[in-house]
Amino acid sequence: MATASALLKLDAAAGFDDVSYEEKARLFDEVRADLRYPEYLYGCYECGICVAACPSARFYDFSPRRIAQAAAREDVELVYQQMQEDIWECSQCFSCLRCPRGNNPGGVITIMREVAVNNGLASARQALEGYSRIIYKIMSTGTQVSPDMLQPDAFPDWGPEVKDVSDNLALWRKALPPETLHTTSTGWDVDPRTLTELYVIWFETGALEMIKEVDEGLYTILEEIMEERLEEEGITP
Ligand code: SF4
Ligand code: SF4
């Protein structure tokens, strides 16, 4: 029997009536056209094993089973609603691969997210809003967020200990065995050739173009940085 929250979500599926059915169907077609899609969805027994394994289902009104069911039933309205809401609650841990039907609901969500980003859906813009600085850092320097960027108030869900770590970062780092990790510079250096290679990959795969749909300002900054470097190397992106 459907739970009250599931029924509320079904009601909400009809809440995007400012978007035409044709547009919703176009987006679903884009999801299904992805080469990975046939490998990720074979139908659904509705057994709920994926829900039992899913950490996000414990904390949010979210269910990988609903994702698999909506896609398997080709429910265009519900899939659209999920692209605007549910898919951003998945933590992409892929515990749902336990599915006895061979489904990969987390993988279907990956595709739905990519389609949401590529089409600049409001949910994608909102979900990535707080990550501009991180995206900028990773894509411009080719490395991850360095510990000196740790801000105690930036991510409340990291828990109360993050403030203690942040306040005593130098001390914590000395506890790491490799000396190269004792500073925030050496461990995060990227070889210039690696950086050039990454820039080419981000241009060629369309990763940079994806940013354009959700944050045009960030896209312009990154494009300028990358093009300048590639021109210096004699590479035309
Ligand atoms: S990948 Fe997403 S849907 Fe699958 S178990 Fe992890 S959080 Fe749940
Ligand atoms: S585990 Fe697989 S078959 Fe069972 S509900 Fe989840 S997606 Fe459907």
Side-chain angles (χ1 to χ4, degrees):
M1 195 168 78
T3 63
S5 63
L7 286 172
L8 279 173
K9 285 224 165 189
L10 283 170
D11 279 351
F16 294 96
D17 44 17
D18 54 326
V19 179
S20 70
Y21 182 87
E22 288 71 25
E23 173 62 4
K24 291 171 185 171
R26 185 189 69 76
L27 291 169
F28 187 29
D29 283 346
E30 211 172 297
V31 171
R32 286 190 290 192
D34 190 288
L35 287 178
R36 295 163 291 180
Y37 188 82
E39 302 276 321
Y40 289 172
L41 189 71
Y42 296 96
C44 180
Y45 296 144
E46 307 194 9
C47 64
I49 289 174
C50 58
V51 185
C54 174
S56 294
R58 287 194 203 176
F59 298 103
Y60 302 107
D61 180 14
F62 169 78
S63 158
R65 177 172 63 175
R66 290 185 67 242
I67 300 287
Q69 285 175 352
R73 292 176 186 170
E74 303 184 345
D75 186 333
V76 168
E77 294 285 353
L78 187 53
V79 168
Y80 182 79
Q81 179 251 314
Q82 291 174 340
M83 286 175 74
Q84 287 286 21
E85 295 174 349
D86 304 49
I87 56 171
W88 306 102
E89 287 163 359
C90 165
S91 52
Q92 294 281 273
C93 68
F94 300 102
S95 303
C96 48
L97 281 170
R98 287 170 174 80
C99 170
R101 189 73 180 82
N103 293 331
N104 179 351
V108 174
I109 289 169
T110 306
I111 299 172
M112 290 164 81
R113 284 184 175 184
E114 288 174 11
V115 171
V117 170
N118 282 333
N119 286 275
L121 291 197
S123 69
R125 288 171 182 268
Q126 199 180 358
L128 299 176
E129 211 169 37
Y131 293 93
S132 307
R133 193 165 171 232
I134 295 173
I135 295 170
Y136 169 75
K137 175 85 176 173
I138 291 173
M139 293 190 76
S140 63
T141 65
T143 189
Q144 58 190 308
V145 181
S146 64
D148 53 357
M149 287 177 72
L150 203 60
Q151 294 171 346
D153 304 329
F155 300 101
D157 51 334
W158 283 6
E161 288 79 16
V162 75
K163 169 135 182 52
D164 182 45
V165 173
S166 179
D167 288 347
N168 300 289
L169 199 54
L171 189 62
W172 284 108
R173 295 191 70 77
K174 285 198 178 129
L176 297 169
E179 278 187 22
T180 49
L181 294 177
H182 287 183
T183 71
T184 55
S185 56
T186 49
W188 269 259
D189 270 352
V190 175
D191 186 287
R193 286 168 304 178
T194 304
L195 194 54
T196 303
E197 198 175 328
L198 283 171
Y199 284 4
V200 171
I201 289 169
W202 283 323
F203 264 108
E204 294 297 323
T205 58
L208 190 60
E209 280 295 311
M210 286 177 83
I211 308 271
K212 193 178 189 177
E213 290 298 331
V214 286
D215 190 336
E216 196 153 2
L218 178 62
Y219 166 81
T220 307
I221 294 168
L222 285 170
E223 188 190 34
E224 205 169 302
I225 292 171
M226 291 182 191
E227 276 182 350
E228 197 176 310
R229 178 175 196 91
L230 292 179
E231 265 170 35
E232 280 169 17
E233 300 288 330
I235 298 169
T236 313

